[in-house]
Amino acid sequence: MITFWFEFASTYSYIAAERMRTLGEVPPRVVWRPFLLGPILKSMGLETSPFNVWPTKGAYMWRDVERLAGREGLVFRPPQPFPQNGLQAARVATGSAQASWLPDFVCGVYRAQFAQGKNIAEREVLRGVLEDVGADADDALARAEAPETKNALRAATEEAAARGVFGAPSFHVGDELFWGQDRIDDALAWRER
Amino acid sequence: MITFWFEFASTYSYIAAERMRTLGEVPPRVVWRPFLLGPILKSMGLETSPFNVWPTKGAYMWRDVERLAGREGLVFRPPQPFPQNGLQAARVATGSAQASWLPDFVCGVYRAQFAQGKNIAEREVLRGVLEDVGADADDALARAEAPETKNALRAATEEAAARGVFGAPSFHVGDELFWGQDRIDDALAWRER
């Protein structure tokens, strides 16, 4: 079983989510798990995205994601600000982990952020995506705020860290970890061993 | 024209060099350019390899390179110490950039370090590799120490940094930069555009 770990503010997670959906690698075949990369980066001594800490690394990432998006036929525009605050989106995804619309919601949030210039920290943006994917938006937004949802997201982040995740996207196949959208094929191949 | 930037102490550069050689992506088809990653990392505030700075990232790398080596049919044993000092090896490669044995020497140094448990900071280890690949070892070691060689390696590192390189291996196809052994196929495909 593959776990796909993604962070909503992560550009490479956008590419990965779209590819995973296109490949049909969605629940129940693959567990899609949102987590928060911020606390993990903080434990590594980074107060913001590595792409902001190191401008050369950032310049590479913006061009690289543009190229990758082009290959996948996706629009990509650098969001303002970067990184955005993906906490609410992650809570919505966590609270509705079993919903059939989860992959569409995840990709919808990425498109809102990286293609449509919206700020995913805004509740109304998330409501719009939920409505687009046919979810009960009021219900999903209410679940997102439930204490058990907040705890579950915190636990997911702690589990990711404990299992060696230090970046997004990441993939677990059993205990084998693969980091980066460019390792999707390796992760899928590992599952078939 | 593709430039393949590699650092002798870099585990992922080992995998990349072996793959490039297997694919026939060697001079004059591809420019193989050694550079020193240390000064670039230092300019980013890192006093040692990121894999030492962040143990989780290091643990991932060791397992990941072991997996990749297995796929390529290569032996891989973590060297002691890590990172090794690749300065002399880089000077030899720089001083003999036009030699037909360059790719074999590069891969030989990587195998000495990552498969045979040798320390590539030792002159005798480099001499052994040079002899194995049919080079005139005395001549190559003398060239390595020439002031113009030292200057050329310094200039290569400065050029890499100026052109956006922040890790190894990296690939330039014209001004397009690709970072990581997992992006070799992308770089090769970009050349055909």
Side-chain angles (χ1 to χ4, degrees):
Chain A
M1 179 63 91
I2 297 189
T3 301
F4 164 39
W5 296 100
F6 57 94
E7 149 68 54
F8 275 104
S10 153
T11 52
Y12 286 110
S13 293
Y14 165 39
I15 305 296
E18 293 282 352
R19 273 206 71 211
M20 293 291 281
R21 186 173 63 161
T22 299
L23 293 169
E25 298 292 350
V26 293
R29 190 168 165 79
V30 170
V31 184
W32 283 42
R33 293 196 77 180
F35 76 110
L36 299 179
L37 186 54
I40 293 176
L41 293 177
K42 201 156 189 169
S43 75
M44 296 165 74
L46 304 177
E47 294 297 325
T48 178
S49 163
F51 302 123
N52 290 343
V53 175
W54 296 291
T56 338
K57 215 173 156 74
Y60 173 74
M61 180 277 287
W62 295 115
R63 174 60 183 144
D64 191 39
V65 174
E66 182 180 48
R67 278 191 310 232
L68 293 167
R71 190 170 73 183
E72 303 292 325
L74 298 168
V75 176
F76 178 67
R77 297 199 194 96
Q80 292 294 343
F82 175 81
Q84 293 202 352
N85 185 336
L87 176 62
Q88 293 306 320
R91 284 180 176 166
V92 171
T94 301
S96 296
Q98 306 305 322
S100 60
W101 46 259
L102 180 75
D104 289 339
F105 170 75
V106 172
C107 292
V109 172
Y110 283 125
R111 290 183 182 209
Q113 178 183 200
F114 294 121
Q116 299 156 12
K118 295 181 182 169
N119 189 334
I120 62 166
E122 293 172 12
R123 192 181 169 90
E124 287 314 300
V125 170
L126 299 181
R127 176 182 293 280
V129 175
L130 286 165
E131 288 169 354
D132 284 348
V133 302
D136 179 334
D138 285 333
D139 179 63
L141 291 169
R143 282 168 183 271
E145 296 304 315
E148 56 267 32
T149 300
K150 296 179 181 182
N151 288 338
L153 177 58
R154 207 172 293 121
T157 298
E158 284 164 9
E159 182 186 328
R163 294 179 66 194
V165 171
F166 57 87
S170 291
F171 304 85
H172 269 117
V173 187
D175 283 336
E176 291 291 332
L177 180 63
F178 297 85
W179 170 50
Q181 64 78 31
D182 36 21
R183 305 304 295 282
I184 289 178
D185 294 340
D186 289 350
L188 298 178
W190 197 270
R191 178 179 57 191
E192 308 304 326
R193 283 164 56 102
Chain B
M1 179 62 90
I2 299 189
T3 300
F4 164 38
W5 296 100
F6 57 95
E7 149 68 55
F8 275 104
S10 151
T11 52
Y12 286 111
S13 293
Y14 165 40
I15 305 296
E18 293 282 353
R19 272 206 71 210
M20 292 292 280
R21 185 172 66 161
T22 300
L23 292 168
E25 297 292 350
V26 293
R29 190 169 165 79
V30 171
V31 184
W32 282 42
R33 292 197 76 182
F35 76 110
L36 298 179
L37 186 55
I40 294 176
L41 293 178
K42 200 157 188 167
S43 75
M44 297 165 74
L46 303 178
E47 294 297 324
T48 180
S49 163
F51 302 123
N52 289 344
V53 175
W54 296 290
T56 338
K57 216 172 156 73
Y60 173 74
M61 181 277 286
W62 295 115
R63 174 59 183 147
D64 191 39
V65 174
E66 181 180 51
R67 278 190 312 230
L68 293 166
R71 190 169 74 184
E72 303 292 326
L74 300 168
V75 176
F76 179 68
R77 296 199 195 96
Q80 293 293 341
F82 175 83
Q84 292 202 352
N85 185 334
L87 176 62
Q88 293 306 321
R91 284 181 176 164
V92 171
T94 301
S96 297
Q98 306 305 323
S100 59
W101 46 259
L102 181 75
D104 289 338
F105 170 75
V106 172
C107 292
V109 172
Y110 282 125
R111 289 183 184 209
Q113 178 183 200
F114 294 121
Q116 298 154 14
K118 294 180 182 168
N119 189 333
I120 63 167
E122 294 172 13
R123 192 179 168 91
E124 288 314 300
V125 170
L126 299 180
R127 177 182 293 278
V129 175
L130 285 166
E131 288 169 353
D132 285 349
V133 303
D136 179 334
D138 285 334
D139 179 64
L141 290 170
R143 283 169 183 270
E145 295 305 314
E148 56 267 33
T149 300
K150 295 180 180 179
N151 288 338
L153 177 58
R154 208 173 291 119
T157 299
E158 284 165 8
E159 181 186 328
R163 294 179 66 194
V165 171
F166 56 87
S170 290
F171 304 86
H172 268 118
V173 187
D175 283 335
E176 292 289 333
L177 179 63
F178 296 85
W179 168 52
Q181 63 78 32
D182 35 20
R183 305 303 294 282
I184 288 178
D185 294 340
D186 289 351
L188 297 177
W190 197 269
R191 178 178 59 190
E192 309 304 326
R193 282 163 57 102

